[in-house]
Amino acid sequence: MADSIQGSAYFPSIEKKYGRPISEWKGLIRSSPLTKHMELVNWLKSEHGLGHGHANALVAHTLAEDKAK
């Protein structure tokens, strides 16, 4: 259940639909100068064509991962 809350349940469909591994998406998010959740979501949507749910899942999971470090 915790995985789906953090977004990882979406990962297989994200990789299939957009053709990039999750590690690459996380790298893009981490290298972005943006830091706020919705800024990153909107950036993924506008610059990389992701849908809202997929962008939100990637950002939520990446930020949660970074916070846990």
PDB file of all heavy atoms in Angstrom, residues 4 14 26 30 41 43 64:
ATOM      1  N   SER A   4       2.096   2.324  -3.483  1.00  0.00           N
ATOM      2  CA  SER A   4       1.162   3.002  -4.368  1.00  0.00           C
ATOM      3  C   SER A   4       0.940   4.442  -3.930  1.00  0.00           C
ATOM      4  O   SER A   4       0.723   5.314  -4.759  1.00  0.00           O
ATOM      5  CB  SER A   4      -0.155   2.243  -4.440  1.00  0.00           C
ATOM      6  OG  SER A   4      -0.774   2.196  -3.178  1.00  0.00           O
ATOM      7  N   ILE A  14       4.739   3.911 -16.601  1.00  0.00           N
ATOM      8  CA  ILE A  14       5.508   5.104 -16.983  1.00  0.00           C
ATOM      9  C   ILE A  14       6.642   4.701 -17.925  1.00  0.00           C
ATOM     10  O   ILE A  14       6.842   5.316 -18.971  1.00  0.00           O
ATOM     11  CB  ILE A  14       6.064   5.833 -15.738  1.00  0.00           C
ATOM     12  CG1 ILE A  14       4.915   6.457 -14.937  1.00  0.00           C
ATOM     13  CG2 ILE A  14       7.088   6.905 -16.143  1.00  0.00           C
ATOM     14  CD1 ILE A  14       5.320   6.995 -13.566  1.00  0.00           C
ATOM     15  N   LYS A  26      14.021  10.135 -12.493  1.00  0.00           N
ATOM     16  CA  LYS A  26      14.448  10.657 -11.189  1.00  0.00           C
ATOM     17  C   LYS A  26      15.667  11.557 -11.345  1.00  0.00           C
ATOM     18  O   LYS A  26      15.781  12.586 -10.673  1.00  0.00           O
ATOM     19  CB  LYS A  26      14.746   9.513 -10.225  1.00  0.00           C
ATOM     20  CG  LYS A  26      13.507   8.810  -9.752  1.00  0.00           C
ATOM     21  CD  LYS A  26      13.875   7.718  -8.764  1.00  0.00           C
ATOM     22  CE  LYS A  26      12.653   7.054  -8.206  1.00  0.00           C
ATOM     23  NZ  LYS A  26      12.981   6.094  -7.158  1.00  0.00           N
ATOM     24  N   ARG A  30      15.883  15.429 -10.206  1.00  0.00           N
ATOM     25  CA  ARG A  30      16.922  15.883  -9.265  1.00  0.00           C
ATOM     26  C   ARG A  30      17.839  16.936  -9.876  1.00  0.00           C
ATOM     27  O   ARG A  30      18.393  17.760  -9.162  1.00  0.00           O
ATOM     28  CB  ARG A  30      17.726  14.683  -8.779  1.00  0.00           C
ATOM     29  CG  ARG A  30      16.927  13.800  -7.845  1.00  0.00           C
ATOM     30  CD  ARG A  30      17.722  12.627  -7.326  1.00  0.00           C
ATOM     31  NE  ARG A  30      16.939  11.905  -6.330  1.00  0.00           N
ATOM     32  CZ  ARG A  30      16.600  10.619  -6.431  1.00  0.00           C
ATOM     33  NH1 ARG A  30      17.021   9.902  -7.475  1.00  0.00           N
ATOM     34  NH2 ARG A  30      15.877  10.048  -5.493  1.00  0.00           N
ATOM     35  N   VAL A  41       6.034  18.879 -11.200  1.00  0.00           N
ATOM     36  CA  VAL A  41       4.967  18.175 -11.919  1.00  0.00           C
ATOM     37  C   VAL A  41       4.638  18.922 -13.210  1.00  0.00           C
ATOM     38  O   VAL A  41       4.587  18.328 -14.301  1.00  0.00           O
ATOM     39  CB  VAL A  41       3.708  18.022 -11.032  1.00  0.00           C
ATOM     40  CG1 VAL A  41       2.514  17.550 -11.852  1.00  0.00           C
ATOM     41  CG2 VAL A  41       3.973  17.061  -9.877  1.00  0.00           C
ATOM     42  N   TRP A  43       6.442  21.020 -14.859  1.00  0.00           N
ATOM     43  CA  TRP A  43       7.609  20.971 -15.749  1.00  0.00           C
ATOM     44  C   TRP A  43       7.646  19.641 -16.511  1.00  0.00           C
ATOM     45  O   TRP A  43       7.854  19.623 -17.735  1.00  0.00           O
ATOM     46  CB  TRP A  43       8.880  21.176 -14.932  1.00  0.00           C
ATOM     47  CG  TRP A  43      10.135  20.980 -15.691  1.00  0.00           C
ATOM     48  CD1 TRP A  43      10.665  21.779 -16.655  1.00  0.00           C
ATOM     49  CD2 TRP A  43      11.058  19.890 -15.544  1.00  0.00           C
ATOM     50  NE1 TRP A  43      11.854  21.258 -17.116  1.00  0.00           N
ATOM     51  CE2 TRP A  43      12.123  20.092 -16.439  1.00  0.00           C
ATOM     52  CE3 TRP A  43      11.090  18.764 -14.713  1.00  0.00           C
ATOM     53  CZ2 TRP A  43      13.181  19.218 -16.550  1.00  0.00           C
ATOM     54  CZ3 TRP A  43      12.171  17.896 -14.821  1.00  0.00           C
ATOM     55  CH2 TRP A  43      13.192  18.132 -15.741  1.00  0.00           C
ATOM     56  N   ALA A  64      10.167  12.093  -1.788  1.00  0.00           N
ATOM     57  CA  ALA A  64      10.099  11.290  -0.565  1.00  0.00           C
ATOM     58  C   ALA A  64      11.401  10.519  -0.357  1.00  0.00           C
ATOM     59  O   ALA A  64      11.906  10.407   0.777  1.00  0.00           O
ATOM     60  CB  ALA A  64       8.920  10.340  -0.615  1.00  0.00           C
TER      61      ALA A  64
END
